Amino acid sequence: MIKKLEKELKKLNAKRDKLSKFLSKQNKKTLSANQLQLLKEQKQAMAKYAKVLELRIKDLKEAK
């Protein structure tokens, strides 16, 4: 179970890094204001999800 969660976290962090790089290169000409805002919200949701995965992994490791 821990390995599965760690793998999921690793993939999520890779996607979040790609999104961060993408957002840093964007300007108002390439994306609408609404799309930019939605991508920022998606990035925040991904960060929260990553934090929950980290807490689950920590909890499982401590339970051993």
Side-chain angles (χ1 to χ4, degrees):
M1 178 77 138
I2 294 172
K3 294 288 183 196
K4 184 178 177 182
L5 291 173
E6 288 174 337
K7 185 177 179 182
E8 184 175 350
L9 179 59
K10 185 177 179 181
K11 285 182 178 181
L12 177 61
N13 283 333
K15 288 180 181 182
R16 196 169 51 148
D17 288 344
K18 286 180 183 179
L19 179 55
S20 291
K21 289 175 186 173
F22 176 77
L23 286 172
S24 70
K25 294 177 183 176
Q26 296 309 303
N27 59 42
K28 292 179 183 177
K29 295 177 184 176
T30 57
L31 286 176
S32 69
N34 189 49
Q35 283 294 312
L36 191 58
Q37 181 60 37
L38 289 170
L39 284 171
K40 288 178 182 179
E41 289 181 32
Q42 179 178 331
K43 183 181 165 192
Q44 289 175 343
M46 291 169 87
K48 187 171 183 176
Y49 182 36
K51 183 64 178 169
V52 170
L53 286 174
E54 290 169 1
L55 292 172
R56 289 184 63 206
I57 292 166
K58 181 181 176 188
D59 182 65
L60 287 168
K61 286 181 176 180
E62 288 174 354
K64 280 188 169 182

